[in-house]
Amino acid sequence: MSLLDSIPERVHVVEMLPRDGFQRLDEFVPTDEKVEIIDALSDTGVDEIEISSFTHPKAVPTLRDADEVAKRITRRDGVTYRALVPNLRGMERAVEAEVDKVNALVTVSETYTRKNQNRTREEVLAEMDDIVELAHDHGIEVEAGMGTSFYCPYEGAIDPAETLAVVDSVVESGVDEVTLATTMGLANPVEITERFTAAFEAHPGLDMGLHLHDTNGMSLANTLAAMAVGVDRFDASVCGLGGGVVLPGDMSGVGNTPTEDLVQMLERMGVGHGVDFGRIEAAAHDVSDRLGLGLTSHVLAGGTVEGVLDTVAADGEED
């Protein structure tokens, strides 16, 4: 059986830059600029955009304008606009902002949960019932975004049984989707395969996604491994911007899968994705220029098939 025989014919691309990317920055991106960037991303063909986080402004000051951003963006038909909510108060703000979906945060690691949310994991999971009920009462979908599903900066490798136990809990709460996150960016394709296989065996038909960080350079390999076992929804961020905010020490290399690299891979493989590669590439260049990021993805560095072939052809003519 070939790889293409085992992967979905189409995958869904979720753009994380406006939340995970801007959250990562030291400097506040002005609201006007955030809105312009989100509106441009809306025109690329991505299925979903995580526009911000309804977190307390003191906790994440770079996203203190979440309510204003939600109000001012131009919402395109066919695009799902979602936001991260860390608790019930965040869910209440999401209702007021009329988002289509929320990413309800829960972390598998007990230590990480305490340090990141100042609560126990059980307290977070217990509140999930209320979040789901409030969301569904207002026609809002709920994704359980499960941080530290593989590794934790404080506890190390996460027991697969712990990850599955959290999946069991959020499914019981009635969430619509579950996304496993490689918060440390250390997972490998075997671990991806084993953890998703176990989740699908426990919950056949569960809508599952993958949020990848690329610390070890394996995010695209991990994407292929997840696709091979039936995962069809992937978080990515233009320019690869994003990553953990409570990691100890110098973890400046942590970043998300660059959306432009993911789309190029899917494009070359013939896997459907709905994204206009030219527009997502242009968006990546624009964001890189606006934020002074430099060449933070293979596509930005000229690593497109067409770009490389054009360079080779030009060099050949000079010879």
Side-chain angles (χ1 to χ4, degrees):
M1 179 182 291
S2 71
L3 177 62
L4 283 177
D5 290 330
S6 62
I7 63 176
E9 293 182 0
R10 188 190 192 283
V11 300
H12 303 278
V13 178
V14 182
E15 179 54 59
M16 301 295 292
L17 172 73
R19 195 278 296 175
D20 203 2
F22 294 158
Q23 174 178 297
R24 175 72 168 152
L25 298 173
D26 293 328
E27 299 297 325
F28 177 77
V29 177
T31 306
D32 287 346
E33 197 162 7
K34 286 191 177 95
V35 171
E36 289 175 3
I37 290 172
I38 294 172
D39 285 349
L41 292 171
S42 291
D43 289 333
T44 63
V46 295
D47 291 296
E48 295 184 24
I49 303 174
E50 190 157 293
I51 61 172
S52 196
S53 173
F54 291 112
T55 310
H56 195 288
K58 289 184 179 179
V60 187
T62 51
L63 300 180
R64 60 183 180 268
D65 57 352
D67 305 272
E68 186 68 17
V69 167
K71 182 188 305 182
R72 293 175 52 188
I73 59 173
T74 299
R75 304 194 185 193
R76 302 283 193 266
D77 290 341
V79 180
T80 297
Y81 296 92
R82 79 181 197 195
L84 184 142
V85 297
N87 50 38
L88 187 58
R89 174 56 190 142
M91 184 65 239
E92 292 168 348
R93 291 173 60 194
V95 169
E96 295 169 2
E98 299 182 336
V99 298
D100 303 310
K101 182 189 289 188
V102 293
N103 174 6
L105 176 65
V106 57
T107 47
V108 179
S109 162
E110 179 69 34
T111 307
Y112 193 104
T113 304
R114 289 178 180 273
K115 288 181 177 291
N116 192 43
Q117 294 178 266
N118 198 31
R119 295 189 294 171
T120 67
R121 190 180 77 182
E122 289 309 308
E123 288 173 333
V124 173
L125 289 173
E127 194 177 54
M128 191 68 72
D129 292 344
D130 297 328
I131 289 174
V132 171
E133 181 179 5
L134 179 59
H136 286 175
D137 283 347
H138 290 83
I140 297 173
E141 292 183 289
V142 181
E143 171 201 87
M146 291 177 42
T148 65
S149 288
F150 299 85
Y151 288 87
C152 169
Y154 308 107
E155 297 181 7
I158 295 295
D159 185 340
E162 288 294 301
T163 300
L164 186 56
V166 177
V167 172
D168 292 342
S169 179
V170 297
V171 168
E172 186 175 351
S173 293
V175 301
D176 302 287
E177 303 171 353
V178 175
T179 293
L180 303 187
T182 66
T183 305
M184 288 289 288
L186 302 179
N188 65 61
V190 171
E191 292 168 322
I192 294 288
T193 300
E194 292 175 343
R195 218 146 295 198
F196 275 104
T197 298
F200 281 130
E201 287 178 350
H203 304 282
L206 179 62
D207 188 336
M208 298 199 72
L210 180 58
H211 180 100
L212 288 162
H213 291 173
D214 199 29
T215 309
N216 61 8
M218 297 187 192
S219 70
L220 289 180
N222 286 334
T223 298
L224 288 176
M227 290 169 64
V229 294
V231 179
D232 65 357
R233 180 166 39 80
F234 296 92
D235 294 353
S237 176
V238 162
C239 301
L241 190 62
V245 294
V246 296
L247 301 178
D250 181 10
M251 295 294 290
S252 58
V254 174
N256 288 300
T257 303
T259 311
E260 58 272 23
D261 287 353
L262 172 62
V263 170
Q264 176 172 234
M265 182 185 77
L266 297 172
E267 186 93 357
R268 303 306 301 184
M269 290 176 62
V271 177
H273 51 79
V275 183
D276 184 307
F277 178 69
R279 290 186 177 185
I280 203 69
E281 181 183 15
H285 281 287
D286 177 58
V287 169
S288 178
D289 291 343
R290 285 175 184 261
L291 303 181
L293 300 177
L295 306 178
T296 55
S297 70
H298 292 290
V299 167
L300 286 177
T304 63
V305 173
E306 293 77 8
V308 172
L309 290 179
D310 287 347
T311 299
V312 171
D315 288 343
E317 291 175 0
E318 291 176 1
D319 293 341

